[in-house]
Amino acid sequence: MQEHPHGHVENTAELEAFYRDLDSMSTTALWLLLADQMPETPKPKAVPFLWKYSRIRPQLFRAGELVRPEQANRRVIVLVNPGLKEQASATRNLNANVQMVLPGEIAPAHRHVASALRFIIEGGGAYTAVDGEKTLMYPGDLVMTPNWSWHDHGNETDGPMIWQDGLDMPMVNALDAPFFEAYTGMQQGYTRPVDASAREYGRGGLKPTWEKWDKPYSPMLNYSWDQTRETLHRLAKDSPGTPHDGVSLEYVNPQTGGPIMPTIGANIQLLRPGEHTQAHRHTMDVVYQAVEGSGCTIVNGIRFNWEKNDIFVIPKWCLHEHANASKTADACLFSYNDAPAMRALALYREEGLVDNDGYQEVNSVFQPL
Ligand SMILES: [Fe+2]
Ligand SMILES: [Fe+2]
């Protein structure tokens, strides 16, 4: 292999003067940038990281005493990757946030081109309304608020409602394409029955013949946990699944069989008792949330221990493998990723670890903050 794959120019006084002159004309020499701007493999600034839900939850309740959604628009705690403090996001392309709506509160209606999904953590029966349809949310539900759809959240129950928000906002902003609009009024009008889309599309393999849907995302507003869990556990009984993810299912757009949104994909996976997957890496950012059980994920040789509701991120091209810590109980992980965007741009790559039978050496254990 060449010593300097990008070439190498020895510095001289004449070159220094040349670089200064280029700089004065708002130009520079490409050979000064190549190694940084065109690395041989991805070098994400984001680091693998984990946030304990037990540490985030009390801060949400503290925020509950300090601000109301009608002041703050959204009562949301943003998970900030230590490698991405400037853009304040969990990964390069994805936000992972945690939101709480208290009884009687409304998070006012608005829309934005950043697409979002919600994965419900706590509470039961508060609603999200999207483009005239309302859904009641329960733990484990996946609720969609896609690109430019009007959405508001409200809590008519007597307990707090908490969920994770996943957004593609950093990607939209990197492309300089954000738009945002506030609704006139707190809540939008309802034009469809509650959970209409679940009745139309919620049974796999069937869809209404009269429904015309030409939007570039799934018509399903809520992928209910009851149905997801049942499908996952039933499949785990008789399918080996994949070597890198255990029994893994993708949430799909029932119109196309493709991802739920053009920029964000979502998966649910089950690790059987004692299961330990082999390591692989890919060019997608992944945000995980533990849903059932406990275990660990080894990322670039660092062991991240997780339990129910913890959130962790795997930046692009980091080797990772998952293990269920229990010998008797299943473990489930929900995740979302930027793979649909990466695939659309022909930037998606994936490879398994070949050495050491596909398992990494563990060098350290992550200490959560
Ligand atoms: Fe929003
Ligand atoms: Fe993976």
Side-chain angles (χ1 to χ4, degrees), residues 26-82:
S26 199
T27 56
T28 191
L30 178 61
W31 60 87
L32 296 176
L33 308 175
L34 261 184
D36 269 350
Q37 295 196 347
M38 209 171 271
E40 291 171 283
T41 57
K43 301 271 182 285
K45 285 193 177 136
V47 295
F49 205 75
L50 179 144
W51 294 264
K52 295 294 293 176
Y53 183 64
S54 58
R55 299 274 297 151
I56 301 288
R57 190 178 187 276
Q59 301 298 345
L60 266 181
F61 280 88
R62 203 168 153 200
E65 289 167 13
L66 295 169
V67 292
R68 293 180 57 80
E70 60 265 33
Q71 305 168 302
N73 200 315
R74 295 292 188 267
R75 182 190 294 114
V76 169
I77 289 180
V78 176
L79 306 186
V80 179
N81 190 296

Side-chain angles (χ1 to χ4, degrees), residues 53-131:
Y53 183 64
S54 58
R55 299 274 297 151
I56 301 288
R57 190 178 187 276
Q59 301 298 345
L60 266 181
F61 280 88
R62 203 168 153 200
E65 289 167 13
L66 295 169
V67 292
R68 293 180 57 80
E70 60 265 33
Q71 305 168 302
N73 200 315
R74 295 292 188 267
R75 182 190 294 114
V76 169
I77 289 180
V78 176
L79 306 186
V80 179
N81 190 296
L84 297 171
K85 288 201 166 159
E86 208 171 305
Q87 70 175 59
S89 60
T91 77
R92 184 77 179 84
N93 284 342
L94 298 169
N95 288 113
N97 302 336
V98 189
Q99 176 160 183
M100 180 170 75
V101 180
L102 289 169
E105 290 181 339
I106 294 167
H110 65 204
R111 63 179 174 176
H112 35 72
V113 301
S115 298
L117 57 78
R118 330 279 166 185
F119 193 77
I120 312 309
I121 299 175
E122 271 188 53
Y127 70 85
T128 287
V130 175
D131 281 346

Side-chain angles (χ1 to χ4, degrees), residues 245 280 282 288 320:
D245 285 304
H280 75 162
H282 31 57
Y288 277 94
H320 56 280

Side-chain angles (χ1 to χ4, degrees), residues 172-188:
V172 172
N173 287 347
L175 295 168
D176 276 340
F179 289 88
F180 175 92
E181 189 178 353
Y183 194 74
T184 46
M186 292 288 278
Q187 288 166 288
Q188 61 188 292

Side-chain angles (χ1 to χ4, degrees), residues 110-334:
H110 65 204
R111 63 179 174 176
H112 35 72
V113 301
S115 298
L117 57 78
R118 330 279 166 185
F119 193 77
I120 312 309
I121 299 175
E122 271 188 53
Y127 70 85
T128 287
V130 175
D131 281 346
E133 179 182 334
K134 194 173 175 179
T135 184
L136 302 180
M137 306 181 288
Y138 295 89
D141 289 357
L142 171 65
V143 175
M144 307 241 302
T145 58
N147 183 331
W148 211 233
S149 58
W150 290 111
H151 55 281
D152 51 87
H153 314 285
N155 188 347
E156 292 160 349
T157 74
D158 51 15
M161 193 84 204
I162 301 174
W163 61 82
Q164 185 187 167
D165 291 315
L167 291 94
D168 61 7
M169 190 163 66
M171 188 179 349
V172 172
N173 287 347
L175 295 168
D176 276 340
F179 289 88
F180 175 92
E181 189 178 353
Y183 194 74
T184 46
M186 292 288 278
Q187 288 166 288
Q188 61 188 292
Y190 302 122
T191 54
R192 284 156 62 77
V194 175
D195 279 321
S197 63
R199 282 189 295 284
E200 290 170 339
Y201 296 98
R203 283 286 154 198
L206 292 170
K207 65 173 188 178
T209 53
W210 63 90
E211 268 279 317
K212 299 285 175 261
W213 183 263
D214 55 5
K215 293 180 178 165
Y217 48 77
S218 169
M220 287 275 288
L221 170 51
N222 187 343
Y223 293 78
S224 80
W225 178 240
D226 283 354
Q227 219 166 310
T228 303
R229 188 178 191 282
E230 188 195 328
T231 308
L232 187 64
H233 283 266
R234 204 172 42 210
L235 195 60
K237 286 197 176 72
D238 57 14
S239 171
T242 81
H244 300 117
D245 285 304
V247 178
S248 170
L249 300 174
E250 183 182 3
Y251 294 85
V252 294
N253 176 344
Q255 290 281 4
T256 63
I260 51 174
M261 294 188 272
T263 49
I264 310 179
N267 287 12
I268 187 82
Q269 71 192 76
L270 182 147
L271 303 167
R272 283 170 275 231
E275 184 164 6
H276 186 150
T277 67
Q278 293 175 334
H280 75 162
R281 60 184 173 184
H282 31 57
T283 51
M284 61 176 169
D285 292 344
V286 190
V287 180
Y288 277 94
Q289 183 179 317
V291 189
E292 283 184 1
S294 62
C296 72
T297 296
I298 300 156
V299 190
N300 285 354
I302 308 166
R303 195 173 86 212
F304 292 77
N305 294 316
W306 42 259
E307 59 189 349
K308 189 174 163 70
N309 297 333
D310 290 347
I311 296 170
F312 60 97
V313 292
I314 303 178
K316 292 187 177 67
W317 216 237
C318 294
L319 273 171
H320 56 280
E321 62 199 69
H322 309 286
N324 181 347
S326 171
K327 299 278 180 270
T328 53
D330 292 329
C332 290
L333 292 168
F334 167 76

